[in-house]
Amino acid sequence: SLGVHTSTQKHPSRMTENQPHSSIQISEPTTNGFPWRKLSFIEKRKFPAEATVTFHNICYRVKVKSGFLYCQKAVPKQILKDIKYVFKKCLVLIFSFSRLLDIIAARKDPQGLSGEILINGAPRPANFKCISGYVVQNDVVMGTLTVRENFEFSAALRLPSTVPEQEKKERVNQIIRELGLAKVADSKVGTQFIRGVSGGERKRTNIGMELITDPAVLFLDEPTTGLDASTANAVLLLLKRMSSRGKTIIFSLHQPRYSIFRLFDSLTLLAAGSLLYHGPARNALQYFKSIGYECEPYNNPADFFLDIINEDSTAVTLSKSEFVKIFEDKISFRGEGEENFSIPKLSSYYKETKAELEKLSLKNKRKTSADFQQITYCTSFFHQLKWVSRRTFKNLIFNPQTICIANFLAFVCSFHRVGALFFLTTNQCLSSVTTIELFVTEKKIFIHEYISGYYRVSAYFFSKIMADLIPMRTLPGIIFTSINYFLIGFKPTIGAFFIMMVTLILVAHTASSMALAIATGQDVVAVANLLINICFVFMIIFSGLLVNLTSIESWLFWLNYFSIPRYGLTALQINEFTGLKFCQNANVTGVNVSCITSSPFTICTGEEYLKMQGIEVSAWGMWRNYVALLCMTLIFLTIAYLKLRFLKKFS
C-alpha cells in the first residue's frame, strides 16, 4: 500500500524504528466569518488551537474464519503493524489501503485495534468521528432532494440549536459558493429515475455535507470513484486549496495519475500492513534507485511504487541478495504468501522524526476512553424527528410508485366478485413487501449519518414510521377501499364501509411491520424479499379460504394463530355477512323452513355461513382480530427497532 501526503513544514516527519506513532496536526478551523463559539464550545475545548493528534503503537487485527461449516475456527490476521505518521495542515493520500483511513477516522470496529490515539499527549475524545468529517466512497446524499436541501438537512442536525437559522442559511450559501455549486444549488441530486447533477457536482455535494461543521480534519474514501480524469483532477485541486487554508485532509485513492500525484510533498509506503518508506515525495525515486529499483522512463511514479510493493516491478536492477549486502541494518516483513522483503530502517530523517515524536509523548499514562463508540448530538430528539420526517416525506412525494400501483390493483380487484374479501386481504399483505426497502436501500446512508452524529436511532426509526410507513399504508388503503367497496357491491352501510377500510389499513400495517422486522439489517433486498414471501405463503394457506380451518389437523392448527390474512379476512367476513339474508322468507332466527325442505345445504343467512366457517359471531369474535393485529404490529415494530438499534455500524 502507498500513502502520500502534503505538509506545510519544510522537513516532513520521519519514521522511528521502535516506537510506532501516527500523528495528525490539527489547527483550529477557520470560520470565515461564521462564529466558532456558536458552532460548539465543547468541541473547541476538546480540540485546542494547534493540537496534534498522535497514534502510538497502532496495530489492527481481525479474526478470519477458516474451515467448513461447524468446524470453522477464528484465526487472527494482522492488518496493520506498528504504523506511525506525522501530518500537519496537510493533504494526505493513503493509496490502496482504505482500512488505514477507516481506522484513523474511528470508523472501524475497535475490538481489534491496539495502541494509543492522543491529542497533544492526551487521549482523544471518544466522539472524534462525530466532530470530524468523513465522505464515504458511495454517495450518501438523498437523490430526491436538491443540493441546497441536502446542505440544509446537514446544517439543521449537525449545528447546535443555539445557532440562528439565518446563520445556518449563510453557512449553507457559503459552502455552495466555495464548492462551485451555485448553478445547480436548486437542482435535484438525482436518482436512477430522476435526472440530476453531474458526477463531479454530486461528489462535491457529498463533500459539502461534511464541510457544514467546518471540521479541522476531513476524511474521504475514494473521492474520485466514478469520475473521469478531468473531474477527478478538479476535485483534488479543490481539496488542495482547502488544505492550504489549514485543514488536514486525508483520503484514499487507487492508482492516482501523475497530475494528482505531484500535488503531494511527502510519501508513505505500506506493504503487508507494515511501514515501508516515509519521506519527501520528490526524493522517493532517487532513494529507491539507490537501493536497486529504478523507475522506467514515462512510468507513473505511483504505479512504480505499487510494483515495488507487490514485488513485480521490471525496474529491479539489483537482486535481493545484493540488496541485503548493501544495507547491514535492515528490517524485514513478510506478507501473506509472500517472500521476505528487506528495506533499510534508518534514513537521514530518522533523528529529526524521533525528536519530534518524543515531544508528543503521553505525559499522563491514561488509557483511551473505553466508550470508543460514543455518539454525541447537537440537537434534541424532537428536532431530529422533525427534520428526518421532513426529508422522508419529501422523498416519498417524489417516489409515488407504490400509490400508483395500489390504484391500479384496486381497479383490477373490482372486476372479481368471488373471493373478493380474500383478494383484498391478501393484496394488502403482498403489497407490503415494498416496505423492505425502507431500511435496506438507505442502510449506508443511515450508518454514515448515525456515526457522524446527525440523529439518534430512535429519531430515525420513528420518523420513518411517521413519514413513510403510515402514509404509504394508510393512503393506499383508503383509495383501495373506496374504489372496490362500491364497484363490487358490498353491504351498503356507512359503518360497514369504514370497518372494512380500517381493517384493510390495519392488515397493511401489520404485514409491513413484519416485513420491517425481517428486512432490517439485511444487505440484499432479494434475500429479505424471499424470506417475507415464504412467510406470506404459509399465512395465506391458513387464512381460512383455501383450507377450511375446521378440517385442519390439531398438530397444524396452531399455525393459523400466526396468520395475518386470517385475522383480516375473519374481521371482514363478520363485517360483511352479519345481518345478511339470502332467502326472502328467512325468519328472525335465520332459519327458512321452505329452503331447508327444498335443499338441506341451503344457507339463508350470513350467520349460518360464518358458523360453517368456524367463525364466532359475537362482539369479541370481531374485536379479538383487531387486538391480535395490533399486538403483532407492536411486536414486529419492536423487533425492527431492536435490530436497527444493535445493527453493526462499524466495519
Side-chain angles (χ1 to χ4, degrees), residues 355-541:
E356 182 177 358
L357 293 178
E358 286 179 351
K359 296 179 182 179
L360 304 174
S361 60
L362 182 61
K363 298 179 181 179
N364 300 321
K365 297 295 182 179
R366 294 179 295 171
K367 294 183 179 181
T368 306
S369 174
D371 193 9
F372 184 81
Q373 299 183 6
Q374 176 184 348
I375 306 294
T376 58
Y377 308 99
C378 295
T379 56
S380 64
F381 168 81
F382 291 102
H383 182 81
Q384 297 169 4
L385 183 65
K386 180 185 73 173
W387 276 91
V388 179
S389 299
R390 179 184 298 180
R391 184 181 70 169
T392 304
F393 188 72
K394 287 183 179 179
N395 184 49
L396 174 64
I397 293 176
F398 293 103
N399 287 281
Q401 293 89 347
T402 304
I403 297 179
C404 296
I405 294 174
N407 293 338
F408 173 75
L409 290 176
F411 281 103
V412 173
C413 180
S414 64
F415 292 101
H416 295 272
R417 182 63 181 88
V418 179
L421 295 177
F422 171 77
F423 185 87
L424 292 173
T425 308
T426 304
N427 178 74
Q428 292 299 96
C429 292
L430 296 180
S431 63
S432 65
V433 174
T434 57
T435 312
I436 64 178
E437 299 184 2
L438 196 60
F439 291 146
V440 177
T441 56
E442 294 184 13
K443 182 179 178 181
K444 294 181 179 179
I445 297 179
F446 162 71
I447 292 177
H448 170 71
E449 293 179 342
Y450 169 75
I451 295 178
S452 300
Y454 278 73
Y455 42 69
R456 297 168 176 83
V457 175
S458 56
Y460 178 79
F461 180 80
F462 287 114
S463 67
K464 286 295 182 181
I465 299 300
M466 294 171 55
D468 194 309
L469 182 62
I470 293 179
M472 290 302 295
R473 304 307 151 197
T474 303
L475 183 58
I478 295 174
I479 299 175
F480 201 67
T481 306
S482 301
I483 295 176
N484 284 277
Y485 196 87
F486 300 103
L487 288 179
I488 296 177
F490 289 118
K491 186 187 298 183
T493 61
I494 298 298
F497 169 78
F498 283 105
I499 289 176
M500 175 176 283
M501 179 183 294
V502 172
T503 303
L504 292 179
I505 292 175
L506 188 56
V507 168
H509 281 81
T510 306
S512 299
S513 301
M514 190 195 74
L516 280 182
I518 295 176
T520 301
Q522 296 287 339
D523 296 317
V524 182
V525 176
V527 175
N529 195 2
L530 177 62
L531 295 175
I532 294 170
N533 283 323
I534 292 176
C535 294
F536 279 143
V537 167
F538 282 98
M539 288 184 177
I540 292 173
I541 292 176

Side-chain angles (χ1 to χ4, degrees), residues 167-183:
E167 293 188 7
K168 290 182 180 179
K169 292 182 180 180
E170 292 176 0
R171 180 62 178 166
V172 170
N173 293 331
Q174 177 186 352
I175 296 298
I176 290 176
R177 291 192 300 268
E178 289 181 353
L179 297 180
L181 296 172
K183 294 183 179 180

